[in-house]
Amino acid sequence: MRSKKIYLSPPFLNGDEIEYIKKTFKSNWIAPVGPNIDLFEKEISSYLNVNNSLALNSGTSALHLALKVLNIKKGDYVFCSDLTFVASANAIKYIGAIPVFIDSDLESWNMCHKSLELALKSIKPKAVIVTNIYGQSADFEKIMSICDQKKIPIIEDAAESLGAEYQSKKSGSFGLLSILSFNGNKIITTSGGGMLLSNNEEYIKEAKNLSTQSREDKIYYEHKKVGYNYRLSNVLASIGLSQFKNLDKRVKMKRKIFRNYYKKLNTRFGIEFMPEPDNCYSTRWLTVLKLKNSSLSKNSLNLIELLNENGIESRPVWKPMHLQPLYKDYNFFSINESCSISENLFLNGICLPSGLNLQFEEQEKISSIIIEFFSSIKS
Ligand SMILES: *Cc1c(COP(=O)(O)O)cnc(C)c1O
């Protein structure tokens, strides 16, 4: 009998989401306005210790609005992590601004402050979008001190890092504006949704107005500028409230999944796990490993294929933006001249199934397939 497919990061339900939805329906607040939205915003704000938040229909719209409220315009430069999901860069294109990509460092796999400094020697951007990948914060102390000196605002893309910490402060509280995603694959989900956060109240007010078609404060519908329809539904916010209440437990579960893989595979020849710097507390949203040896690395796609043949979904690390057909003609800065860190991680990195419903036995099976794969190529 074929066992069921193991996915990379499927949604995980507490079980009481449906009760939250039922209550919402009873209250008749089923549109993108209502008490659940307000409460969800409040709870996330207080968890992250950021004063203002705005619940939106996706993390991508949060990124778009972050750039809008910073008044970034067509032709402006915006720096962006090279190793990220495409949404971070697409928001720059929505505005008509010009993305410039910055390489990662090996310590955190996130934006390298030295490559950032290198880029700043030739281009002055209007903002820097810093992504925290796979549940781990970027090195904000260094990045912020560079950007603060030049008065460049930081937008923190914390879509993958809700629940993580950097220097004992919550991930998602470092940007002048920060964004979260509640997409189905993220650590908590509203089925689809996102959030924009800032300690600057004006930014969030302006973003709220933009997210609701930029209506003027009049009794009739008057509009002076183009707005968007980006608010989160009150029904979906109720799912978020259910999911959020055990966020910290989810983080612990993710870290346990990582530890199980680590124990099984760390001592194996040629395998290295995504590091966790001392000042970071990663959620291990996804467990990611890297094949160390270049002759092994050629085989990373073979390993992904082998896992797939066994009904197991795994993936390469994000394909860097500077290698994307969509973005290959834009500037990319790296202090590494031969092969960038981001490209190296893309070629050698593999994301393993890390869903919260993953069973211990399933993890054992995945690990044995990986071990077997390595023994077969050694001989
Ligand atoms: C998921 C994700 C987003 C986009 O969030 P959506 O809610 O899917 O629009 C943005 N950036 C990163 C790094 C992500 O992983």
Side-chain angles (χ1 to χ4, degrees):
M1 199 187 78
R2 237 189 126 72
S3 47
K4 66 176 197 300
K5 180 153 173 112
I6 301 174
Y7 291 100
L8 190 74
S9 185
F12 180 70
L13 293 174
N14 296 329
D16 64 355
E17 286 85 352
I18 195 74
E19 299 308 320
Y20 279 72
I21 294 171
K22 273 188 197 155
K23 261 196 225 152
T24 307
F25 269 76
K26 256 195 196 143
S27 75
N28 205 38
W29 286 104
I30 59 156
V33 61
N36 296 331
I37 300 174
D38 302 342
L39 188 57
F40 189 43
E41 288 173 343
K42 231 187 243 160
E43 290 198 355
I44 301 259
S45 266
S46 93
Y47 177 83
L48 296 183
N49 198 18
V50 178
N51 293 340
N52 312 282
S53 59
L54 180 70
L56 297 165
N57 59 7
S58 75
T60 308
S61 33
L63 281 160
H64 186 193
L65 293 183
L67 293 166
K68 288 291 290 184
V69 301
L70 288 175
N71 203 22
I72 289 163
K73 298 227 154 65
K74 192 169 170 206
D76 288 341
Y77 287 101
V78 177
F79 287 5
C80 180
S81 296
D82 186 47
L83 194 64
T84 185
F85 177 55
V86 72
S88 324
N90 284 351
I92 303 169
K93 291 292 284 178
Y94 295 168
I95 302 274
I98 306 163
V100 175
F101 300 107
I102 312 294
D103 199 9
S104 293
D105 61 38
L106 267 180
E107 290 75 33
S108 69
W109 294 17
N110 286 309
M111 187 181 282
C112 167
H113 71 278
K114 290 182 188 151
S115 294
L116 172 64
E117 277 180 320
L118 179 68
L120 285 169
K121 282 184 188 157
S122 29
I123 301 172
K124 169 104 199 260
K126 287 282 162 66
V128 180
I129 300 176
V130 182
T131 300
N132 307 312
I133 58 165
Y134 300 131
Q136 179 156 281
S137 176
D139 193 352
F140 276 104
E141 185 175 340
K142 296 206 181 83
I143 293 170
M144 285 167 87
S145 94
I146 294 166
C147 291
D148 287 354
Q149 252 174 33
K150 300 193 180 257
K151 301 209 167 19
I152 303 163
I154 292 175
I155 298 169
E156 181 187 14
D157 182 342
E160 300 178 11
S161 64
L162 178 60
E165 290 177 10
Y166 174 79
Q167 295 182 348
S168 305
K169 259 183 75 183
K170 296 283 180 204
S171 187
S173 66
F174 290 90
L176 179 59
L177 290 136
S178 299
I179 75 102
L180 302 174
S181 166
F182 310 116
N183 192 14
N185 61 348
K186 301 295 179 352
I187 196 157
I188 65 167
T189 184
T190 55
S191 88
M195 200 170 277
L196 181 67
L197 294 121
S198 179
N199 280 319
N200 181 322
E201 195 181 352
E202 286 309 307
Y203 287 152
I204 298 301
K205 261 197 195 151
E206 167 72 3
K208 188 169 185 176
N209 183 249
L210 282 166
S211 72
T212 49
Q213 306 287 17
S214 296
R215 187 181 168 186
E216 294 296 316
D217 192 15
K218 294 266 167 66
I219 194 135
Y220 43 85
Y221 279 77
E222 182 162 289
H223 306 272
K224 289 187 180 158
K225 50 185 190 260
V226 176
Y228 306 89
N229 181 7
Y230 277 176
R231 276 292 254 172
L232 184 71
S233 151
N234 192 61
V235 178
L236 301 188
S238 74
I239 302 175
L241 284 171
S242 158
Q243 293 254 311
F244 176 66
K245 68 181 186 304
N246 57 16
L247 171 62
D248 288 336
K249 190 171 143 207
R250 285 166 180 256
V251 172
K252 288 198 181 104
M253 288 163 79
K254 287 279 189 191
R255 288 181 64 88
K256 185 157 182 222
I257 290 169
F258 170 84
R259 268 202 312 280
N260 289 342
Y261 280 127
Y262 186 86
K263 273 191 222 148
K264 272 271 167 195
L265 297 171
N266 186 48
T267 53
R268 296 285 155 171
F269 167 75
I271 296 181
E272 197 175 283
F273 282 84
M274 181 175 181
E276 184 181 38
D278 284 343
N279 54 9
C280 282
Y281 178 76
S282 169
T283 65
R284 300 289 185 184
W285 171 58
L286 296 183
T287 290
V288 192
L289 58 75
K290 199 181 118 194
L291 309 188
K292 268 195 283 199
N293 178 313
S294 63
S295 64
L296 289 175
S297 299
K298 278 204 298 268
N299 294 298
S300 72
L301 289 177
N302 299 26
L303 176 54
I304 289 169
E305 215 168 275
L306 176 69
L307 287 166
N308 188 43
E309 282 161 15
N310 284 276
I312 298 157
E313 184 188 30
S314 64
R315 275 199 211 142
V317 160
W318 294 127
K319 180 169 183 176
M321 292 304 114
H322 83 279
L323 297 175
Q324 297 286 352
L326 179 61
Y327 289 118
K328 67 177 174 21
D329 297 330
Y330 292 88
N331 276 309
F332 168 61
F333 287 90
S334 170
I335 53 162
N336 301 281
E337 272 156 22
S338 48
C339 178
S340 64
I341 304 286
S342 58
E343 182 169 5
N344 181 284
L345 292 171
F346 167 60
L347 294 174
N348 308 322
I350 301 176
C351 305
L352 297 179
S354 309
L356 294 172
N357 23 23
L358 188 67
Q359 300 299 307
F360 183 71
E361 298 70 39
E362 292 175 321
Q363 257 197 293
E364 294 280 291
K365 178 180 152 189
I366 295 164
S367 299
S368 356
I369 292 170
I370 296 172
I371 290 167
E372 207 176 294
F373 175 81
F374 277 102
S375 356
S376 75
I377 48 178
K378 250 195 299 180
S379 51

